[in-house]
Amino acid sequence: MSLTIVNDYFFKPDGDIEEGKAAAAELVEYFRAGVPEVELSLWLEAQDNPLHHYHITVFSDADVIQKVRDSEAIKRFTERLYPHIDHSTFISPACNVWLADGQGVEPVS
């Protein structure tokens, strides 16, 4: 059964959003190259507040979540991202997928 982690966070007003996005892109490359069990990595920016971001990751199972958490790639990602976000707003609940439909979501640049 697929498992999902939904990250919800705000950048600090003086945080470097572009550095955070570059860190995210590097993490996605790690998923593509080394973790095919990551079924989805979706990065979102709120339309009404560019400091508010979400990351939705769908994993094939709990073992993959642990593999990613223990990886050097996630360590590098958090080292790059965390200085720029307000940790008092960061939540990361684990969720069960009960319905999904993938029609090819395209990123908006």
Side-chain angles (χ1 to χ4, degrees):
M1 170 187 269
S2 294
L3 299 169
T4 301
I5 301 292
V6 179
N7 295 300
D8 179 6
Y9 55 92
F10 285 82
F11 279 88
K12 297 174 185 174
D14 63 344
D16 186 343
I17 294 173
E18 292 309 311
E19 171 63 11
K21 287 181 176 182
E26 183 179 287
L27 184 62
V28 168
E29 285 305 314
Y30 162 72
F31 292 159
R32 285 182 182 149
V35 193
E37 304 88 357
V38 172
E39 298 172 356
L40 176 69
S41 178
L42 181 64
W43 301 80
L44 306 168
E45 179 180 282
Q47 287 184 347
D48 62 343
N49 184 350
L51 298 177
H52 193 184
H53 288 247
Y54 305 88
H55 178 215
I56 301 168
T57 316
V58 180
F59 301 89
S60 61
D61 60 51
D63 291 338
V64 178
I65 295 171
Q66 195 58 52
K67 174 183 174 179
V68 169
R69 284 185 177 155
D70 293 341
S71 72
E72 286 299 314
I74 204 73
K75 180 180 177 190
R76 170 93 173 120
F77 170 70
T78 57
E79 286 172 350
R80 291 179 71 184
L81 176 70
Y82 283 7
H84 305 288
I85 65 169
D86 179 352
H87 281 276
S88 68
T89 67
F90 180 77
I91 61 170
S92 185
C95 306
N96 293 323
V97 176
W98 66 270
L99 180 65
D101 179 33
Q103 296 296 325
V105 177
E106 293 294 325
V108 176
S109 54

